Amino acid sequence: MAKETYSFTTPIYYVNAAPHLGTAYTTIAADTVARYQRMNGKEVAFVTGMDEHGQKVADTAAAHDMTPQEWCDSMEPAFRDAWKMLDITYTDFVRTTEPRHARTVQHFWNDLYEKGYLYKGAYEGWYCVHEETYYAESDLEKDEEGVFICPDCKRPVQLMASGEENWFFKLSEFQQPLLDFYESHPDFIRPVSRKNEIVSFVSRGLKDLSISRSTFDWGVPLPFDQGHVAYVWADALLAYITGIGYDDPDRPGEFEEFWPMNYHFVGKDIIRFHCVIWPAMLMAAGLPITHTVFGHGFLLTKGEKMSKSKGNALKPADLVGVFGVDAYRYYFMSDVQFGHDGSISMERMVQVYNNELANTWGNLVSRVFNMNKKYFEALVPTVDAEATATFDNPLKEEAAGLYETYDQALEQVDFTQAAAAVQALAARANRYIEETEPFKLAKDPEKADELAFVMYNLLETIRIIALYMAPFAPQTSAEVYRRLGLGDITAVTNIQEASAWGQLPSGNLVETGDPLFPRLDVDAIDLSME
């Protein structure tokens, strides 16, 4: 029987700058879902990539004395290396300059051309190169000198002359179909605040969308008019289907298997493209629409969005160098509520690291493994079921509800709730040590059965915690699993069955090893997030 599928995307990231904490945030979120759904028995498609076309990329390349293709090629290692460093397990990395993606773009828009959804006309209006977006004059703001500026990035906009002919997509025809779709699919736009924004925007009326440019050639040529290249959003959005084999003779059946997708994870600043333009394009093509677009918030430092222009954007490698990959991943998933803006600081990162990873999880592993080495020669003890039948086992009770809570949380991409449920079990295990006092039991030969019972419970709880920490902190979970003598944690494909109580084999040799998360001193860290 074929596995159930689970598919999702990050945005296809612009190549005008290397990955920063914001792009890493989205990508780690997608990878956390990917890792969990694989452990949950699903066949996963996880698409990311590079958005390489458009005037902004051409301008950036020129500023570096490079051709657009040279600039894009030079940026590929920055993205691939960053995702490798952060343990990102994507299934496809789409570059929009690849021939396979050009085939997708040309096939898709030729289909809409033949269906009558495109027409040629002159455009005159305001355009922001940085946002790759057209604006009505009523949407614009003015700077101190009275110059029209973009309402999003606050940069000057350009008046596109009426002499340029573009191809237009009949977006206006989809106003009511989109509103009907939003109403019948209440989970399409999440969180609710983003949905309200989009419904309000569409209700005010939609204008037809320019989907081509003829004043420069850095883009995918449209097959029905060789003088025009696809406008960047008419190109980049289609990378989502390129990444699962759309119109690809070398990947038969893959698109049908994974489309429609479960999620598009995007920043809230690009929600209109994904919740208005993209579903209208799919409606026109007669294709199903992705189940949910999740528009997460911004990462803030000192109340401001992190960005290159503000000079407050750190590279992921900066923080990985201080905290390690797993702690980096865990912090952004557990402490920043996905869907809301999140204020981050070095002090808070160290606090989460020390409290949740070093003191709660890491200390639990160290204490229990060291006690097991001392009392049972590092072997998982054998429990006398008859002698311990009347003993309470609060850890088994706590662990019993973990799968349901965790699964529901990650199905809703509530990473904070999922992480909190795992932390609750780890905290309960630490309290269990204080309650049972194995160091006292070990001194009384008549308590040998109880000591074995207590130590087995603690080791088994650690095994279960390692499973549920794996999507957040894959390297340390793999190490804990290995120390328990359990092999490769990535081989787990049914986490519900794997986390059922009592599967840690008696007699396994348990290694102690170095602390998983040595405590950090914030005052000793020379790294500014201001």
Side-chain angles (χ1 to χ4, degrees):
M1 182 180 293
K3 283 186 176 182
E4 185 179 350
T5 61
Y6 205 96
S7 54
F8 45 89
T9 71
T10 70
I12 306 302
Y13 298 116
Y14 277 131
V15 294
N16 59 320
H20 51 75
L21 296 191
T23 49
Y25 176 53
T26 319
T27 311
I28 291 169
D31 187 68
T32 302
V33 172
R35 288 177 177 275
Y36 173 65
Q37 293 300 345
R38 291 188 191 107
M39 295 180 76
N40 209 21
K42 308 290 178 60
E43 190 73 29
V44 166
F46 167 13
V47 178
T48 189
M50 290 167 38
D51 181 2
E52 304 182 40
H53 286 134
Q55 185 177 339
K56 181 166 64 173
V57 173
D59 291 349
T60 301
H64 288 81
D65 295 323
M66 302 170 77
T67 68
Q69 189 65 61
E70 288 172 341
W71 171 253
C72 294
D73 290 345
S74 76
M75 292 302 294
E76 182 180 11
F79 282 87
R80 288 194 184 271
D81 291 349
W83 303 156
K84 182 178 181 181
M85 176 187 66
L86 293 173
D87 273 355
I88 305 301
T89 56
Y90 54 79
T91 58
D92 203 332
F93 185 99
V94 179
R95 294 186 58 178
T96 59
T97 53
E98 293 179 88
R100 61 174 178 146
H101 180 64
R103 183 173 65 240
T104 294
V105 173
Q106 292 176 335
H107 182 278
F108 185 93
W109 287 113
N110 194 67
D111 178 51
L112 265 59
Y113 169 76
E114 292 179 348
K115 289 177 176 176
Y117 286 111
L118 304 182
Y119 65 90
K120 202 170 186 178
Y123 182 85
E124 181 172 354
W126 297 97
Y127 181 72
C128 175
V129 174
H130 183 266
E131 297 294 328
E132 303 277 15
T133 305
Y134 292 98
Y135 293 97
E137 187 169 310
S138 59
D139 294 329
L140 299 175
E141 299 175 5
K142 288 185 177 181
D143 63 14
E144 295 178 353
E145 298 178 356
V147 175
F148 282 123
I149 59 173
C150 171
D152 295 315
C153 71
K154 313 303 181 185
R155 292 173 171 84
V157 292
Q158 300 177 1
L159 182 63
M160 306 303 292
S162 60
E164 180 185 355
E165 281 194 316
N166 295 164
W167 282 95
F168 285 80
F169 170 52
K170 297 178 181 178
L171 182 63
S172 59
E173 292 188 6
F174 292 90
Q175 178 180 351
Q176 193 58 47
L178 284 169
L179 293 172
D180 293 342
F181 180 80
Y182 302 149
E183 184 174 359
S184 61
H185 297 79
D187 288 334
F188 172 62
I189 306 170
R190 293 184 54 215
V192 173
S193 58
R194 313 274 185 261
K195 177 182 177 181
N196 295 338
E197 171 193 331
I198 293 300
V199 170
S200 174
F201 174 77
V202 174
S203 297
R204 295 196 298 269
L206 296 176
K207 296 181 179 180
D208 291 343
L209 178 72
S210 171
I211 60 101
S212 77
R213 297 293 299 277
S214 60
T215 54
F216 65 93
D217 61 1
W218 183 238
V220 178
L222 294 179
F224 47 84
D225 192 336
Q226 289 298 317
H228 289 253
V229 296
Y231 164 60
V232 62
W233 281 101
D235 166 0
L237 289 165
L238 293 167
Y240 299 146
I241 60 177
T242 297
I244 52 172
Y246 175 82
D247 193 37
D248 191 336
D250 297 326
R251 299 163 72 171
E254 185 177 343
F255 176 73
E256 291 75 16
E257 183 180 8
F258 287 106
W259 190 265
M261 288 188 160
N262 295 79
Y263 280 100
H264 293 313
F265 297 133
V266 302
K268 65 180 183 179
D269 53 334
I270 55 174
I271 196 102
R272 289 185 184 178
F273 298 103
H274 289 82
C275 296
V276 181
I277 297 172
W278 181 225
M281 288 166 56
L282 293 168
M283 286 179 179
L287 293 173
I289 296 170
T290 293
H291 298 316
T292 301
V293 176
F294 200 108
H296 66 74
F298 293 145
L299 299 180
L300 308 176
T301 57
K302 308 297 183 183
E304 291 189 314
K305 177 187 175 184
M306 300 193 76
S307 69
K308 285 288 215 181
S309 60
K310 290 187 173 70
N312 63 356
L314 286 173
K315 297 177 183 177
D318 297 332
L319 294 179
V320 169
V322 174
F323 295 95
V325 173
D326 279 7
Y328 175 104
R329 290 171 57 110
Y330 179 83
Y331 167 76
F332 282 99
M333 292 297 95
S334 66
D335 201 56
V336 181
Q337 181 68 54
F338 204 61
H340 301 278
D341 290 347
S343 183
I344 65 174
S345 68
M346 188 61 65
E347 291 78 11
R348 180 59 183 162
M349 290 190 73
V350 172
Q351 183 181 29
V352 170
Y353 176 96
N354 284 335
N355 291 349
E356 299 184 16
L357 297 178
N359 293 352
T360 302
W361 172 223
N363 188 48
L364 173 67
V365 172
S366 295
R367 292 174 76 187
V368 173
F369 285 14
N370 283 320
M371 285 192 293
N372 189 67
K373 181 178 181 180
K374 183 176 181 180
Y375 306 144
F376 293 97
E377 298 181 338
L379 300 177
V380 176
T382 300
V383 176
D384 186 327
E386 184 176 346
T388 60
T390 60
F391 293 168
D392 290 334
N393 191 347
L395 296 184
K396 181 178 179 180
E397 294 173 7
E398 181 85 25
L402 182 55
Y403 172 78
E404 183 177 357
T405 300
Y406 189 101
D407 183 67
Q408 289 179 356
L410 281 195
E411 188 63 39
Q412 295 299 310
V413 292
D414 188 343
F415 304 105
T416 303
Q417 183 182 357
V422 184
Q423 278 293 312
L425 180 57
R428 186 66 188 90
N430 279 306
R431 293 200 307 274
Y432 182 72
I433 295 174
E434 306 309 318
E435 294 164 358
T436 59
E437 299 181 311
F439 40 88
K440 290 185 179 179
L441 296 175
K443 297 177 181 178
D444 187 348
E446 294 185 3
K447 301 286 188 179
D449 286 334
E450 186 175 353
L451 177 63
F453 177 78
V454 167
M455 291 305 302
Y456 183 89
N457 291 343
L458 288 166
L459 290 166
E460 174 66 348
T461 301
I462 287 172
R463 181 188 73 85
I464 292 169
I465 293 171
L467 288 168
Y468 288 98
M469 281 292 286
F472 295 100
Q475 293 181 12
T476 46
S477 280
E479 174 63 8
V480 171
Y481 223 62
R482 186 196 66 78
R483 290 186 193 181
L484 286 168
L486 296 172
D488 182 5
I489 198 169
T490 63
V492 173
T493 57
N494 189 329
I495 193 171
Q496 183 176 21
E497 288 185 1
S499 59
W501 189 267
Q503 297 184 60
L504 180 62
S506 298
N508 268 25
L509 180 66
V510 179
E511 295 183 25
T512 51
D514 296 330
L516 299 177
F517 299 100
R519 282 184 60 83
L520 293 175
D521 179 1
V522 68
D523 294 328
I525 298 172
D526 184 20
L527 189 63
S528 174
M529 296 184 73
E530 295 184 2

